[in-house]
Amino acid sequence: MIIATNNQNKLKELKEILNIDLKSLKDKNIEIDVEENGTTFYENAYKKAKEIYELTKEATIADDSGLCIKALDDFPGVLTHRFLGENKTDEERNLALIEKTNEKDDRTAKVICNLVYYDGKNIIVGEGVINGKIATSPRGDNGFGFDPIFELTTGKTLAELSKEQKNSVSARFLAAKDLKERLMREGLI
């Protein structure tokens, strides 16, 4: 099975969480960057899974996830990685989100992850959602992306958790667990 990502952090997390034999795009010598122009996490994940399947004719799992901030009408959502442009760093994006949220009374946010399995016939979707809020400043050295600014209800950011702790509470973990259960029910793994 192929994981449709070039993000080594996502690949590592999904391999650890799903605990099944997965190949990355790099493992398959595939150099493609599927344009994420959908309006939902599902649309983007499905598009990636389908395009990689069409290239390889191998079952593919793709994900899309992002941060949805209530006071900003669920912005940045599907634009989480791109709302400042492609060449910005995680730190620049995180600081911009903190600044935007500082202008609001409500810091409530959620992380949504959709994982889509596609094998040319079956489309199976796993979803994970975690609730929290945007921290007032980045905290923690673990994780990537918006992990340093997403504060869980425990008061810790995702980046303040160990890898094992994060992989037991993250939206990607919940989506992977959901997807794995659905794939097992369908007899696909």
Side-chain angles (χ1 to χ4, degrees), residues 34-49 62-64 78 82:
V34 178
E35 183 181 5
E36 296 179 18
N37 56 3
T39 59
T40 65
F41 298 113
Y42 167 76
E43 287 175 7
N44 284 335
Y46 172 70
K47 182 179 181 187
K48 287 187 274 188
D63 98 311
D64 195 34
V78 295
R82 300 177 305 280

Side-chain angles (χ1 to χ4, degrees), residues 61-119:
I61 295 173
D63 98 311
D64 195 34
S65 58
L67 185 60
C68 300
I69 302 170
K70 184 178 178 181
L72 302 177
D73 297 323
D74 286 340
F75 179 84
V78 295
L79 301 174
T80 297
H81 188 72
R82 300 177 305 280
F83 75 93
L84 285 180
E86 290 293 330
N87 296 320
K88 297 297 182 179
T89 66
D90 289 343
E91 183 180 9
E92 289 170 311
R93 284 188 286 275
N94 289 342
L95 292 174
L97 289 173
I98 287 172
E99 186 176 316
K100 285 180 181 293
T101 307
N102 283 343
E103 299 168 1
K104 307 293 182 180
D105 292 330
D106 187 358
R107 303 185 80 75
T108 305
K110 62 186 171 186
V111 179
I112 299 173
C113 178
N114 277 192
L115 283 171
V116 174
Y117 166 94
Y118 183 70
D119 63 8

